[in-house]
Structure formats: structure tokens, C-alpha cells
Amino acid sequence: MKRLCLILAACLAWAAAPASARADGVTMRVVTVAPGARQLEAAARFDMLAFKGRGTIRFRTHRLAGGWTRWQPADDDAMWVGDSDRFEVRAPSRVRAYEIDSPVTTAPERRVASASEPAIVTRAGWGADEEIVRAKPVYAPAVKLAIVHHTVSPNTYTPAQAAAIVRGIETYHVKGNGWNDIGYNFLVDRFGNVYEGRAGGIDRNVVGAHSEGFNTGTVGISLIGSFQTAQPPKAMQDALVGLLAWRLDVAHVDPLSTVVYTSGGNAKFRAGKAVTLRAISGHRDTGPTECPGAAAYALLPAIAQRVAATGLPKLYAPTVVGVLGGPIRFQARLSRSLAWSVTVVDRSGRTVAAGGGNGALVDWTWSSPIGVKGPFAWTISAPGIRVATGTIGGGKIVPPPPLALTDVSALPSVITPAADGTIAPATLSFTLSAPATVTVKLVDVASRAAVQTISSGTRPAGPSTVQWSPASVPDGSYQLVVTARSGGARATRWADVVVDREVSGVSVSPAVFSPNHDLMFDTATFGFLLARPAHVQLDVLAGSQLVASVFAGDLAAGANTIVWDGSGFGPPLPDGEYTAVLTVDGIAVPIAVRIDDTPPQLQLVDRPSLVFSVDEACTVRVVLNGKTVLTLNESPGTFQVPASGAVTSVSAQAIDVAGNVSAIVSG
């Protein structure tokens, strides 16, 4: 079959009539192109672009003041492209394009709410369209960490264009993605301006839509620009430090701490997976992306150190454990040794208990009397810190949170048979803000008809999963539509899935290889079965960036293999995680593969007790007194080799899963 490739431009035809949306001066035009469509048509002016589709999407634009730009990979978010009148896209399948015109006005003014709060451009300041916001904000009980992103816009915009970029992103997030509001909690431009993102209160725990599966209890901050190779400028770094220092202090989070977060589910971490994250993490730590770019990501440890040293002293991790009528323990950490105090007051403000001490650790217990009734307000304070406050017992009844349905995803999203012909079920994941009656239906994308009801019943608040077996449905594109109802409230979201039996038994061996020409695991072999002759393409991506085109051509039915030697378009690809995308007649199947060309580091830590250390999982061969005595499978860290009798000589060597061999250590 012929290779599916779209060439979409201001000179292209749309498969369906374009839809338009207007948001307070921001115009968005949505166009859909069927595979292979090529017909000339004039396009409207735009300055931002976004794309949705399967496989690698690359594009270029024709500038009003110049010629065509270079080809570049599309990002998940809306991208600033400047004044343009047409564009071209290359993609292996159907593409939906979003042309956004966000007029440039004037640079907005910032405001400072308090001495400790950074200067922030409010939503009114950058011109947010409050009429398109779909629902009231949802709040998390607490903020646990911050996640840093970048918008993948060019780094040459003006202050006025920065505000236009924020307006365009809001329109795309709401009108294009179907989100309630702009996804980020804050944005920062290259001039050091901080923009208020999702509405609901800059110092409140507003749940955004910036990191699938990790939105609740996190604050999402996006750097306006592209920072894969370029470093964020000093003004942007300084503004990010000031914003993080203030916002994490409001949440009493130590910027140098780590947090164990339970994933709500995405393509990198299944729902329920416990993930250890830094208090200041990059988007790539939580999902399958290169965001916030390699250059910005490399700066995050230094940023965290600067944040920790800004605005001292600080109070971290206040906790209160116990119930009224018994001991109630108050604990916290201080950034340095201080005189601290804990105060408990009743409804009238009368102090009922108080304690204090000196040091960097707050630890005091109130022996509350039996039969005492609340509510009581407590405060932990020390000179110069932002005090921590809360309540114990009683108080007014807090209404349940508004119904929200978030983090909807299906894994895998492209479902193919195994080598034996069986099809494993897919897992649909989603998160509820409140208990609700949930119905999950399978809808055919082409006909918009419901094919089957997969699940229906009451589910509690929090992450949920539903298993779906596609065995009884034909090949095609579907949506798993989730509808939640609670009282009079209703929320609907969906996840796209594709069933394709044309290709099956997709595998890669080895999944970790070292293309260093040592004749050991130098290549990765991709195997698959084709039900009929088909056009096949194998590309390799690093995050969303195309780094290698391994194969493109027609293959016969039956078993097929494609070998990749690890090479890319330019210099040898570095060690790291990659996604190989096998596209069969327009259906893309992602396959995880890793390049590891770095030998393990093996050390003899203590000769008398035969204690070694190794920096990665590997197999260790140990020779004692000139004889090989054992081979160990060891995890990263230290390990001890058992021995009986005197040991006059010892040597060892490690080999990792990619076949890299360490230097021999001896003693």
C-alpha cells in the first residue's frame, strides 16, 4: 500500500468544513485533513499553531514578512509561530490542525499582593477570557510539589507577544483540548514576568491540567519558550526562583525534599504506581515527554538550591496527629534553629493550650482533656517565618468538592494482538473529585454510535480503573467515553483507542542495547507479524522529537523483522530512553527501547570483608584465590561476597543488561 503522508498548507484542502472559535479577540480555526488530501485553498492569518494526530508530526510556516521557516517537530501544546498565512504538515495519518490568531496588544502590568509575593500579571492583566472557562476551580487538600514545563515557543518574542501567547494557550487548552481553563497554574516569560494561569487563587491549591496523572496537589509552572538546547535567560531563571520560593513556602514544602506521589495514570506510569519525585520536578519526570527541554531540566537541581536559600527562614511539613480527648502531637521542621511556639485557641480566640521550644525541630504534644469539643484553631510560629495554621475537630460542615473527572487515559491506546493471536485487555484510568455513578461506553469514532456499555456503577473519589477487552469489536478507531453523575452534576471525558489486527506480536530484542561495535547487543531487532502485505515505517523519537528514520517500505504478510543499529540523523545518539514508532498503513504502535553504552562502575569498597559497590543492575563475576567461585545478580548499591577460609586474592568484573563490561577490580 502507498505510504500515508499529509502535505498540509495554506494551499491544502480540508476533509471537513473548518470550525472556528473566538475568545475575547483570540480566533481559533480548526481544520481536519484526511490522509493523502492535496487540494489548494487559501488560509487565514494566524500566529499560533497546534496539531493533534498519531505518529510524528512535523510542520513549517510561511511568514507574512518572509519565506518559509525550517521544518520542526510539533509539540503537544499551542506553539507561537509569529504572523503567518500558511503552513505545511507532514504526518503519517489524519491530522487536526488549530490555527490561532492571538492579537498582540500591549505588555501587561504586574501587581504585588504582599511583600513576600512576587510581582504577578493577573488574568485580567493578560486578558484572560473568563467567559470560555467551563467550570469552577477544583482544589486539592495540599500542594506537594512543583512541576516545571516549557511551551516550545520561539525565544525571540516581545513582552506584548508574551501576553498574546498566554491568551492563545488559554484558548487552545479550553477550545482545543476541552479543558476547564488554561492548564498551567503559572507561566513565566523571558523578561521575568510571571503570569497567573488557571483561575481560583494564586495562593490556593488549584488543580490544573498540566501533567496527566499528576495534576492534583501539584503546581504547574510553564516557561514561555523552547529550552531543549537554549538555556532560560537569567531574568526568567530569577523569576522562576522567586515564584517557587514564595509558592512552596505558602505550602510549607521543602524545595530540596522528595515526595512519593501515587500516579493517576498515563503512558509512563500506570494508575496506582508510587513515583518518587523531587519537590521541584520537570514534566518529563511525570510523563512520556522531553519537557521542559534538556537545558532547562539540567538547571532544576541548581534552581532548587537557590529556592531553598531564598526568603529564609522557613517552616516545612507541619503535621498534627491525634484526636480531641487525648494527646495531640504537633511537629514541623525549620530551615534553621529558632525559638518556636505552638498555640491552640477556641472559637472565641481564647488560648486553651500553648507550648514552645528552641531548635530546628518543632515537636510538642497537647494533652487535650477528655470530653472537650472543638473546633480549635492551632498556629505554629517562629520569628520571621510564614506561620502554619489549621483546625482540630468540630467546625462547620464542609460541602463535598464539585464533581470533576480528570486524568482520563487508556493504556495501551493502540491495541494489537500478541504473537499467539490473543489480545490483552486495555486499562482505562480516570480520577473523580467526589463519589459518583460512572458509566463507561465504547463509541465508534466514524459513526459516533455507542458499540457497548463496558461498566456502570458507583465509584469513590480518587483514581479508578476499568478493564476493557477489545476481542469482540472489529478493527477501527474508538473512544472510551466516561460519564460521571453526582446529584445534578454531570461530567464527561474520553480516551481515544485504536484496535488493529493487521499487525501483531510486536516486540523488540533486546529492549536495552549498546551500539558500540563490541559484537555484544550492538543492535535492536523489532519483530512483528503482518496479516496482509502492508506499507511499514519505523521511526525513533526522543520525547516528541524525531531522531531516526530506520525503515520505510512495503513488506509481505507473515513474520517480519527490522534491525536498528542505534544511529540517528547526525552524530551517534546518546544514552537514554527512546520510543520506536512502528507505523503500519497509518496505525502507529509505540515500542520502548533504551540505548546504554556506558559500562557499569564496580568498586571494591572493603577488601577484608569483600564488600563491593555497583552503580546499576548487572551481573558480577567474582574470582577468589584464582578460581571463579560465583556469579551474582546485583542491584545498584553495596553487596558482600561470602567466602570461607583465607582470601589471598580477589578480582571481579560486572556486565550490565546491554552487554557493557566494567573494568576488572582486584585486591
Side-chain angles (χ1 to χ4, degrees):
M1 301 182 76
K2 292 183 179 180
R3 180 180 180 181
L4 298 177
C5 181
L6 299 180
I7 306 291
L8 169 63
C11 42
L12 278 192
W14 324 126
S20 295
R22 186 172 184 83
D24 194 25
V26 180
T27 302
M28 185 174 75
R29 184 172 187 253
V30 186
V31 294
T32 303
V33 182
R38 299 189 62 171
Q39 178 181 341
L40 300 181
E41 181 177 303
R45 175 201 174 279
F46 56 88
D47 49 30
M48 298 185 73
L49 276 175
F51 301 98
K52 293 184 188 294
R54 293 194 300 272
T56 301
I57 301 174
R58 297 179 66 82
F59 77 99
R60 67 174 182 168
T61 62
H62 186 271
R63 305 293 298 274
L64 289 177
W68 288 97
T69 64
R70 62 178 178 82
W71 288 95
Q72 59 182 306
D75 189 69
D76 294 337
D77 213 338
M79 299 160 288
W80 180 262
V81 295
D83 290 336
S84 306
D85 59 0
R86 41 195 158 140
F87 63 92
E88 291 184 355
V89 169
R90 292 174 179 167
S93 60
R94 187 184 187 92
V95 164
R96 182 171 294 169
Y98 299 79
E99 297 176 342
I100 303 166
D101 181 21
S102 183
V104 176
T105 54
T106 58
E109 294 183 356
R110 300 181 291 178
R111 64 98 170 165
V112 179
S114 67
S116 61
E117 180 185 316
I120 295 176
V121 178
T122 64
R123 289 172 63 87
W126 58 261
D129 184 2
E130 305 299 355
E131 292 185 0
I132 68 172
V133 175
R134 295 173 179 263
K136 294 181 179 179
V138 177
Y139 297 96
V143 162
K144 302 176 182 178
L145 68 148
I147 299 176
V148 179
H149 306 252
H150 69 163
T151 64
V152 199
S153 296
N155 298 325
T156 55
Y157 53 84
T158 66
Q161 288 173 337
I165 292 171
V166 178
R167 287 193 295 273
I169 291 174
E170 178 202 24
T171 299
Y172 175 65
H173 283 186
V174 175
K175 297 291 187 179
N177 291 342
W179 297 346
N180 290 340
D181 194 352
I182 190 170
Y184 308 120
N185 297 100
F186 298 95
L187 300 95
V188 183
D189 70 21
R190 69 188 184 98
F191 308 100
N193 298 310
V194 177
Y195 298 81
E196 177 186 7
R198 178 162 291 210
I202 58 176
D203 59 352
R204 302 185 65 187
N205 308 327
V206 178
V207 177
H210 55 90
S211 187
E212 183 182 11
F214 294 81
N215 287 318
T216 301
T218 64
V219 55
I221 302 172
S222 192
L223 306 178
I224 302 175
S226 181
F227 302 107
Q228 184 66 22
T229 57
Q231 277 203 352
K234 182 179 184 300
M236 176 179 276
Q237 292 186 42
D238 292 346
L240 178 62
V241 168
L243 175 61
L244 286 167
W246 166 74
R247 190 60 188 87
L248 293 184
D249 189 30
V250 170
H252 298 294
V253 172
D254 182 350
L256 300 179
S257 65
T258 56
V259 179
V260 177
Y261 191 109
T262 302
S263 169
N266 61 32
K268 183 173 183 177
F269 296 113
R270 60 173 175 79
K273 172 72 173 178
V275 183
T276 300
L277 299 169
R278 294 170 295 174
I280 300 175
S281 290
H283 187 192
R284 66 173 63 184
D285 295 322
T286 65
T289 175
E290 289 297 300
C291 182
Y297 185 77
L299 289 174
L300 293 185
I303 292 289
Q305 291 287 345
R306 289 184 61 191
V307 170
T310 301
L312 297 175
K314 298 179 183 180
L315 180 146
Y316 302 131
T319 59
V320 180
V321 179
V323 294
L324 290 174
I328 299 178
R329 189 177 185 182
F330 298 82
Q331 292 180 292
R333 288 189 299 110
L334 299 170
S335 58
R336 67 167 182 256
S337 181
L338 293 170
W340 52 264
S341 63
V342 181
T343 306
V344 182
V345 301
D346 62 15
R347 287 179 183 269
S348 65
R350 182 177 63 90
T351 299
V352 298
N358 285 277
L361 295 178
V362 176
D363 194 347
W364 177 75
T365 300
W366 173 37
S367 298
S368 62
I370 296 175
V372 68
K373 295 182 179 180
F376 297 100
W378 59 264
T379 302
I380 302 176
S381 61
I385 70 163
R386 183 185 301 275
V387 301
T389 61
T391 58
I392 308 169
K396 65 180 181 180
I397 298 175
V398 179
L403 179 63
L405 178 60
T406 58
D407 303 324
V408 179
S409 64
L411 291 177
S413 59
V414 179
I415 305 168
T416 60
D420 61 3
T422 60
I423 301 181
T427 300
L428 174 69
S429 304
F430 54 90
T431 300
L432 292 167
S433 64
T437 300
V438 177
T439 302
V440 180
K441 292 185 177 182
L442 181 70
V443 174
D444 184 280
V445 171
S447 66
R448 302 309 305 166
V451 177
Q452 60 183 233
T453 298
I454 297 169
S455 174
S456 182
T458 302
R459 290 181 176 263
S464 285
T465 58
V466 173
Q467 296 289 313
W468 169 60
S469 174
S472 61
V473 301
D475 287 7
S477 297
Y478 298 91
Q479 288 180 334
L480 292 170
V481 180
V482 186
T483 302
R485 293 180 174 86
S486 179
R490 179 178 181 271
T492 300
R493 293 288 185 274
W494 60 88
D496 294 317
V497 291
V498 172
V499 179
D500 179 28
R501 295 177 178 82
E502 186 172 2
V503 59
S504 62
V506 179
S507 65
V508 58
S509 179
V512 183
F513 71 112
S514 55
N516 54 10
H517 308 293
D518 65 353
L519 303 181
M520 183 178 293
F521 303 126
D522 283 335
T523 60
T525 300
F526 298 87
F528 52 95
L529 297 171
L530 294 178
R532 61 185 68 87
H535 183 84
V536 176
Q537 182 171 333
L538 183 66
D539 296 318
V540 180
L541 283 73
S544 60
Q545 181 178 1
L546 179 67
V547 295
S549 291
V550 181
F551 176 84
D554 296 329
L555 294 178
N560 288 276
T561 58
I562 299 174
V563 178
W564 180 40
D565 63 2
S567 60
F569 293 128
L573 293 175
D575 287 7
E577 305 284 346
Y578 296 89
T579 301
V581 180
L582 180 71
T583 304
V584 180
D585 284 345
I587 301 297
V589 181
I591 312 150
V593 64
R594 178 159 62 93
I595 292 178
D596 179 5
D597 196 20
T598 303
Q601 299 297 309
L602 179 67
Q603 291 183 325
L604 180 57
V605 177
D606 185 72
R607 168 65 175 80
S609 57
L610 298 181
V611 174
F612 292 81
S613 71
V614 69
D615 66 339
E616 62 175 302
C618 58
T619 299
V620 182
R621 176 175 174 266
V622 182
V623 178
L624 298 180
N625 299 336
K627 296 181 179 180
T628 301
V629 294
L630 72 167
T631 301
L632 308 171
N633 292 319
E634 292 299 328
S635 302
T638 60
F639 62 94
Q640 185 175 25
V641 175
S644 58
V647 176
T648 58
S649 67
V650 56
S651 66
Q653 192 171 31
I655 180 171
D656 63 19
V657 294
N660 299 301
V661 180
S662 75
I664 297 175
V665 298
S666 59

